[in-house]
Amino acid sequence: MKKTKQSPSPALSANARTVLERRYLRRDADGKILETPEDMFRRVAQTIASAETRLETGTDAAKLEEQFYRMMVELDFLPNSPTLMNAGRELGQLSACFVLPVDDSMESIFEAIKHTALIHKSGGGTGFSFSRIRPANDVVASTSGVSSGPLSFMKVFDAATETIKQGGTRRGANMGILRVDHPDIMDFIMCKRDQRVLTNFNISVGLTEDFMKAVEEDGEYDLLNPRDGRLIKKLSARKVFEHIVDLAWNNGEPGIIFLDRLNRDNPTPHVGEIESTNPCGEQPLLPYESCNLGSINLARMCNDGDIDWDKLGRTVRLATRFLDNVIEVNKYPLAQIDEMTRANRKIGLGVMGWADMLIKLGLPYNSTDAARLGEKVMKFIQDTAHETSADLAEERGPFPNFNGSIYDKPGVRPVRNATCTTIAPTGTISIIAGSSSGIEPLFAVSYVRQVLDNDILVEVHPLFEQIAKEMDFYSPELMKKIAEHGTLRDLPEIPEDIRKVFVTAHDITPEDHIRMQSAFQKYTDNAVSKTVNFCHDATREDVAMVYQLAYRSGCKGVTIYRDGSRDQQVLSVAKSE
Ligand code: CDP
């Protein structure tokens, strides 16, 4: 590790520094912080660049380290949290996303719980399909008893997670999937109605094309025992669909994922079937696969009101190389994961700061032009990432499972990575970058934060503050009023063109949310993390309509949230606090 202190980056906000100090920076045994944020970026850059030496690529590792360092310290790109926390340290586990297999046996279930604990300890999140577990009250030959069913086992996973904080820094996160044709599906759909249970799980119903067709035709579909494929009963598809909608309307869960669609895009069908995603839904993976994510800060890819395509292209190429190097230097928590991850070499490059970019370009988030530009930006990122992956394949070889993969076609250049792009939520890294998260619209232009001693702090979106000052309508009273209002919509003291551009999640319709999700999905190998916000008065029919729309417009899953429908809301505008 270099001993020289880096000059402080002007770009890091006080908030970012606080987050880094609390959870990311190295500490000694007494908890004393041993590095600055700049040292952290240096530690990460050096570790990830060291892959070049290991792979004997002939690239100048020191020069590459400097490029990686600049890209992070200038907040143009950040890798997922585990990379920032663990690179160059003893733990060395750099991935955010894992999927583990759960088979229909005690050994497999408790093996998965043990593996989950190891992954959570290292800062990763885990996804599982519980669809292979026989339903409740089925026979258990060895004990002549009855089975407990997937739901009761999920509670054991949940309890194990509760006791382990990820790397001592953040809570473990799980995704639980059950196929819609599992006999216990009705109980699964209901399982999070009580918000105090399964708090360490996000749950999603795995929908099939057959099921969606049956919903459309108002037909029945089969529930099958996964143990022997026996038909257990038939259900009305529409009734089950309405049940899902009802519960999601009630408090946002379950989400839905479209399994056939995930598998249509499975790059390595010869290796296995995709049955689950990571906790936030953006990364479909095979059992024992892991993936490391990284996000380009689009707010930093603008120049004078235009997109700086050259800089974006350069950043995509460098970030793709960075993420491929992560696979190389990563220390995997399990031998099976090591093997599977290196064989497919999936990476997930995505974006954050999309809403900020639109503001800088003067485009309202809820416009067709914005959605069109979303497609263009993501296509550019995807094409450039694939080209870079093909260049890396020439230099380092294609991913070992390449033969038989969807890329294995005459005339197609081999690639180094089975997937290149994913849109992550960027929950924490967007705070570090000081940008809007993922492809989400702004949550608020100005909001009130309650600090430790009940002091009220009004936080204003930096671009809005800057413009308000430049245009001479800034005042602390107005910022407070906006925070209370939650939207600029009915505030005539703000110029109309500014009101149009600073739209928030509450101003835009669910259809606008889906339009943006589907625009990005079109050019994303993996999936898109996105929450579709509904106002409190939205009806169940509104939710059902959005599910159908998401299905028709090519999305791979949907997460919805109706304002005020949960006891605890992570962020809320001032009035509801
Ligand atoms: O911003 P950051 O890198 O911290 O993470 P994110 O983009 O919000 O989430 C990306 C992925 O990290 C999630 O889908 C999970 O797989 C994982 N994650 C987790 O395991 N535990 C958390 N508390 C948050 C995220």
Side-chain angles (χ1 to χ4, degrees), residues 24 80-81 96-97 124-125 166 170-171 173 278-280 282 293 424-429:
Y24 290 67
N80 55 209
S81 291
C97 314
Q166 289 178 321
R170 56 182 187 175
R171 274 240 160 280
N278 69 338
C280 304
E282 72 278 13
L293 311 174
T426 70
T428 330
I429 60 167

Side-chain angles (χ1 to χ4, degrees), residues 90-133:
E90 200 180 328
L91 194 54
Q93 197 295 104
L94 311 179
S95 298
C97 314
F98 295 81
V99 163
L100 290 172
V102 184
D103 283 317
D104 186 33
S105 74
M106 280 297 177
E107 287 76 14
S108 166
I109 292 168
F110 283 89
E111 184 89 336
I113 293 173
K114 179 176 107 188
H115 293 165
T116 300
L118 292 174
I119 292 170
H120 288 177
K121 211 175 89 178
S122 75
T126 37
F128 323 86
S129 167
F130 294 102
S131 307
R132 281 182 256 160
I133 300 180

Side-chain angles (χ1 to χ4, degrees), residues 45 48-50 52 57 59-70 318 321-322 325 396:
I48 307 305
S50 74
E52 306 283 333
T57 59
T59 304
D60 181 345
K63 201 166 142 212
L64 193 66
E65 175 189 325
E66 206 47 42
Q67 289 173 328
F68 286 164
Y69 174 72
R70 290 247 76 82
L318 196 56
R321 191 175 194 101
F322 181 106
N325 282 9
R396 312 169 171 193

Side-chain angles (χ1 to χ4, degrees), residues 39-303:
D39 295 335
M40 173 194 76
F41 289 130
R42 177 61 67 187
R43 162 170 62 74
V44 177
Q46 193 177 44
T47 309
I48 307 305
S50 74
E52 306 283 333
T53 320
R54 198 187 283 196
L55 286 164
E56 298 178 349
T57 59
T59 304
D60 181 345
K63 201 166 142 212
L64 193 66
E65 175 189 325
E66 206 47 42
Q67 289 173 328
F68 286 164
Y69 174 72
R70 290 247 76 82
M71 174 167 78
M72 289 185 285
V73 83
E74 286 174 8
L75 305 173
D76 292 342
F77 161 89
L78 289 177
N80 55 209
S81 291
T83 303
L84 292 173
M85 291 168 174
N86 301 334
R89 293 170 69 177
E90 200 180 328
L91 194 54
Q93 197 295 104
L94 311 179
S95 298
C97 314
F98 295 81
V99 163
L100 290 172
V102 184
D103 283 317
D104 186 33
S105 74
M106 280 297 177
E107 287 76 14
S108 166
I109 292 168
F110 283 89
E111 184 89 336
I113 293 173
K114 179 176 107 188
H115 293 165
T116 300
L118 292 174
I119 292 170
H120 288 177
K121 211 175 89 178
S122 75
T126 37
F128 323 86
S129 167
F130 294 102
S131 307
R132 281 182 256 160
I133 300 180
R134 74 192 70 183
N137 302 316
D138 197 22
V139 289
V140 180
S142 56
T143 59
S144 314
V146 292
S147 55
S148 339
L151 282 169
S152 56
F153 288 118
M154 281 174 71
K155 290 182 194 143
V156 188
F157 280 79
D158 189 63
T161 306
E162 188 66 35
T163 55
I164 302 158
K165 276 194 173 179
Q166 289 178 321
T169 50
R170 56 182 187 175
R171 274 240 160 280
N174 298 300
M175 170 63 89
I177 307 270
L178 199 70
R179 286 176 64 96
V180 73
D181 52 12
H182 190 284
D184 291 354
I185 193 62
M186 290 302 255
D187 293 333
F188 179 81
I189 293 168
M190 297 248 291
C191 74
K192 289 198 67 176
R193 192 171 52 173
D194 178 347
Q195 292 171 45
R196 290 163 306 182
V197 302
L198 293 173
T199 48
N200 301 296
F201 264 98
N202 293 328
I203 59 160
S204 276
V205 179
L207 302 183
T208 59
E209 303 263 307
D210 283 349
F211 174 80
M212 289 307 283
K213 212 152 129 230
V215 172
E216 211 167 285
E217 293 164 356
D218 198 8
E220 291 193 324
Y221 77 105
D222 298 344
L223 297 192
L224 306 170
N225 188 331
R227 188 165 57 85
D228 50 12
R230 210 160 33 94
L231 175 68
I232 300 295
K233 61 176 163 183
K234 286 179 180 289
L235 285 181
S236 150
R238 218 166 256 187
K239 278 224 175 86
V240 173
F241 185 76
E242 280 164 12
H243 195 46
I244 297 171
V245 165
D246 183 40
L247 271 295
W249 175 89
N250 186 53
N251 67 11
E253 289 209 83
I256 53 175
I257 59 166
F258 300 118
L259 284 175
D260 296 308
R261 201 155 281 167
L262 297 185
N263 277 294
R264 207 171 301 148
D265 281 357
N266 177 1
T268 56
H270 59 310
V271 181
E273 191 183 325
I274 290 175
E275 48 177 29
S276 182
T277 67
N278 69 338
C280 304
E282 72 278 13
Q283 189 62 48
L285 291 171
L286 297 174
Y288 287 127
E289 251 188 317
S290 73
C291 185
N292 63 92
L293 311 174
S295 301
I296 292 179
N297 181 3
L298 291 175
R300 300 262 314 151
M301 300 294 140
C302 297
N303 196 2

